[in-house]
Amino acid sequence: MRVGVPKEIKDHEDRVGLVPSSVRELVAHGHEVLVETNAGRGVGVSDDIYTAAGARIVSTADEVFATADMIVKVKEPQAVERKKLREGQILFTYLHLAPDPEQTKDLMASGATCIAYETVTAANGSLPLLAPMSEVAGRMAPQVGAHSLENAQGGMGVLLGGVPGVLPAEVVILGGGVAGTNAAQVAIGLGADVTVIDRSLDVLRRLVATFGSRIKTAHSNADNIAKLVTRSDLVISTVLVPGAAAPKLITRELIAGMKKGSVLVDVAIDQGGASETSKATTHSNPTYVVDGVVHYCVANMPGGVARTSAFALNNATLPFTLALADKGWKKALADDAHLANGLNVHAGRITYKAVADALGYDYMETVRALAA
């Protein structure tokens, strides 16, 4: 199979779909890998390094999209990229379609087979291709939150860990999954007063077993969310419903009731965000203010630490990329029900129920796509 890696073009998105070690593995399996020139610059990988790994460097994204059987990316294809996709081509990347009707419409029109990292599952029900970036975004969230709390950024001027004689910031984390756990780890390490809210008692027990008395926990209900959010200095939202739009747990009224200069970091923004006031921002212009609350809603947070993120992502995606290249998408999905859960769009139809429900499309079961 001919596998194509275009340079990412989303704002300050410096990650790359395949790192050299992944290219080497694909080539060893007999595949051809096309990499757009300078695709790896943001992770410190030159064209020469890709060439040494066995890739062929091409000068434009047009050539990558026109000749590759499978496109491997990091972020969802931008509008100009979606026009380059064609019928029968495989797209393997993050998609986050539920809050993005325009992308969904374009992918359906392309006729491509689109497999989303974020809905591929594991035997234990986890999301193995989302987890590495959830780890990165979770660990970044207290860092960017601490920065946003500074006066120069519009924050209230609170140091996350305080100092002797001055209380630390109160940090509330919505969701105790992978991102939430990693956010808690860093926030605790910085000395903050940390509370995690989750609806699963098993998750809360795990957090207490991990962090002991250094963490507080609360069951997720409207009363607890309202009480804790409005008294916090920093709120980090990590809530996730796989493939679906994030639930709006923070209302506009709650935002209005928060402290002036407090901060919301909405890690859930890729799926639409967990606050009614959240809207996607970029690394170039990461924050805005609503009712005195600083909102950080960068939709590709891990792109800010591109080298760490790209290598971490490839560690997880490579086995699936190899399966798709070795077997073709139909056999790879038929052989692996967990990879099959990644199929979101095929031949103009929506094949992931949460996306179909969110956007009002008819749903075609994956088994029907495989049988077609």
Side-chain angles (χ1 to χ4, degrees), residues 181-254:
T181 298
N182 280 270
Q185 180 181 352
V186 172
I188 289 169
L190 291 171
D193 181 337
V194 179
T195 302
V196 178
I197 303 174
D198 199 282
R199 64 183 180 180
S200 168
L201 292 178
D202 287 338
V203 167
L204 299 180
R205 291 185 183 108
R206 173 179 55 78
L207 289 167
V208 170
T210 301
F211 298 112
S213 60
R214 295 177 296 164
I215 198 170
K216 301 171 185 173
T217 61
H219 187 258
S220 181
N221 58 59
D223 286 346
N224 281 339
I225 292 172
K227 178 176 66 176
L228 292 166
V229 164
T230 52
R231 81 181 193 198
S232 66
D233 302 305
L234 169 61
V235 174
I236 299 172
S237 167
T238 69
V239 294
L240 173 71
V241 178
K248 300 297 184 185
L249 300 181
I250 303 174
T251 64
R252 178 63 183 263
E253 289 72 25
L254 281 185

Side-chain angles (χ1 to χ4, degrees), residues 159-177:
L159 183 65
L160 209 63
V163 293
V166 180
L167 291 171
E170 290 195 37
V171 177
V172 170
I173 300 171
L174 297 178

Side-chain angles (χ1 to χ4, degrees), residues 28 30 33 84 109 141 150 162 205 215-216 270 288 309 311 347 360 367:
V33 181
K84 303 178 194 297
E150 296 175 12
R205 291 185 183 108
I215 198 170
K216 301 171 185 173
D270 271 329
Y288 60 94
S309 297
F311 281 87
V367 65

Side-chain angles (χ1 to χ4, degrees), residues 19-198:
V19 298
S21 56
S22 297
V23 170
R24 189 171 286 107
E25 291 288 336
L26 282 160
V27 171
H29 280 236
H31 306 294
E32 182 182 2
V33 181
L34 308 181
V35 177
E36 184 182 354
T37 186
N38 295 320
R41 177 179 289 177
V43 300
V45 177
S46 68
D47 289 350
D48 288 344
I49 294 174
Y50 274 115
T51 300
R56 179 160 67 90
I57 304 300
V58 298
S59 58
T60 67
D62 286 343
E63 187 173 354
V64 173
F65 279 91
T67 59
D69 303 304
M70 176 167 64
I71 300 293
V72 179
K73 291 179 83 288
V74 178
K75 288 305 292 178
E76 72 281 354
Q78 303 302 289
V80 67
E81 294 174 309
R82 299 195 291 267
K83 293 177 182 178
K84 303 178 194 297
L85 293 166
R86 66 180 188 275
E87 185 175 352
Q89 196 168 44
I90 303 167
L91 174 66
F92 193 35
T93 188
Y94 287 117
L95 293 176
H96 300 290
L97 293 179
D100 195 344
E102 288 303 314
Q103 183 195 177
T104 305
K105 180 180 177 182
D106 288 349
L107 293 184
M108 293 172 69
S110 75
T113 296
C114 306
I115 302 169
Y117 293 160
E118 72 272 11
T119 61
V120 174
T121 56
N124 63 0
S126 65
L127 304 171
L129 307 192
L130 186 62
M133 297 304 93
S134 295
E135 290 170 340
V136 172
R139 293 185 182 208
M140 288 181 70
Q143 295 179 191
V144 299
H147 182 60
S148 299
L149 279 168
E150 296 175 12
N151 291 105
Q153 309 307 316
M156 63 174 63
V158 170
L159 183 65
L160 209 63
V163 293
V166 180
L167 291 171
E170 290 195 37
V171 177
V172 170
I173 300 171
L174 297 178
V178 174
T181 298
N182 280 270
Q185 180 181 352
V186 172
I188 289 169
L190 291 171
D193 181 337
V194 179
T195 302
V196 178
I197 303 174
D198 199 282

